Amino acid sequence: MLTKKQWEHCLEEMDRMFPNAHCELVHDNAFELTIATLLSAQCTDVLVNKVTKTLFQKYKTPEDYLAVPLEELQQDIRSIGLYRNKAKNIQALCQRLLDEYKGEIPATREALVTLPGVGRKTANVVLSVAFDIPALAVDTHVERVSKRLGLCRWKDSVLEVEETIMKKTPMDKWSKTHHQLIFFGRYHCKAQNPGCHACPLLRDCREGQKRLKKGLVKEA
């Protein structure tokens, strides 16, 4: 497992590589971010942004999403995976916002996870990005990178990964670390053909060292 000093080195290198890492879901407010993050489950941010470019012009408020038949909303997001279920969740979420929160996105994890279609990951994204509250969302990139590096164990659950990263990272860096891990996983340490041969983290990376020993990469 990575030592604290090794993890600090990894954070420094990722900060050098991706100093401007940020949420790539295009949005103007907490409500749009919540909808976009809900849509992003098992889907790329690129596709979500393509859909929301027109979606957010048509729907501005929870009332707007409830003013159309479910079938119409499904058609509006049809190019996104699981669109039927996501459309249903969006309308249910909007109804809950109107019934319980005066149409506004709540700013606590406890309240956010009660919204239809909103799990812990989405809640953490909204807290961090929309409300600037320290939180660390674990998506597929964050989980993959943290386990490859040996910061977390391969058998760890998503919640265990989140707790480990938060424990070993200063709270004021949680949000930044979340985005930089995503950028590192999305643009460098990819699921297929990770850039081990040119990786500044190779000396600390469990997976990279394993690949090196097997002759799959050259030492950086």
Side-chain angles (χ1 to χ4, degrees):
M1 303 295 286
L2 285 185
T3 64
K4 182 178 179 180
K5 185 174 182 180
Q6 287 175 316
W7 177 233
E8 289 174 349
H9 172 257
C10 291
L11 291 178
E12 290 172 358
E13 289 297 334
M14 285 188 285
D15 189 37
R16 182 184 61 79
M17 294 173 72
F18 303 107
N20 300 312
H22 60 280
C23 177
E24 293 190 300
L25 291 170
V26 178
H27 64 282
D28 288 330
N29 51 58
F31 178 57
E32 289 187 353
L33 176 61
T34 303
I35 298 297
T37 309
L38 185 157
L39 291 173
S40 71
Q42 300 183 42
C43 182
T44 66
D45 288 359
V46 173
L47 179 55
V48 172
N49 288 336
K50 183 178 180 180
V51 170
T52 56
K53 184 176 182 179
T54 55
L55 190 74
F56 291 163
Q57 291 177 355
K58 180 176 181 179
Y59 304 99
K60 301 290 187 181
T61 66
E63 290 89 344
D64 292 339
Y65 284 98
L66 293 169
V68 301
L70 176 61
E71 293 75 18
E72 182 174 341
L73 179 56
Q74 288 177 345
Q75 288 302 312
D76 289 333
I77 64 172
R78 187 180 179 85
S79 60
I80 286 181
L82 307 175
Y83 71 93
R84 290 188 179 88
N85 193 51
K86 290 178 181 179
K88 182 178 179 181
N89 280 334
I90 288 173
Q91 288 197 331
L93 178 152
C94 289
Q95 189 64 60
R96 178 71 64 83
L97 289 179
L98 294 173
D99 292 343
E100 303 290 339
Y101 303 105
K102 299 180 180 179
E104 299 293 330
I105 296 294
T108 68
R109 181 183 294 109
E110 292 74 19
L112 283 166
V113 296
T114 68
L115 300 175
V118 175
R120 188 178 179 89
K121 185 194 80 171
T122 296
N124 283 342
V125 169
V126 174
L127 289 174
S128 172
V129 177
F131 298 113
D132 199 28
I133 295 173
L136 200 148
V138 177
D139 72 349
T140 181
H141 300 296
V142 174
E143 182 176 10
R144 180 176 69 253
V145 170
S146 63
K147 289 183 176 181
R148 278 180 172 174
L149 284 171
L151 179 68
C152 302
R153 299 170 299 178
W154 288 111
K155 66 178 182 179
D156 284 352
S157 66
V158 170
L159 181 57
E160 288 173 325
V161 170
E162 177 186 330
E163 291 173 341
T164 296
I165 298 175
M166 290 193 300
K167 181 180 179 181
K168 296 186 178 182
T169 307
M171 183 182 293
D172 62 351
K173 292 184 178 181
W174 285 356
S175 296
K176 186 176 185 179
T177 296
H178 157 70
H179 293 305
Q180 290 179 334
L181 279 168
I182 288 176
F183 269 52
F184 186 76
R186 181 175 289 162
Y187 301 114
H188 181 79
C189 188
K190 301 177 182 179
Q192 301 296 327
N193 301 317
C196 301
H197 62 285
C199 185
L201 307 187
L202 181 59
R203 77 180 192 190
D204 297 321
C205 180
R206 173 175 63 185
E207 180 70 14
Q209 289 295 332
K210 185 184 298 183
R211 289 170 178 265
L212 178 66
K213 290 179 180 179
K214 291 182 179 180
L216 300 177
V217 296
K218 296 179 179 180
E219 188 168 4

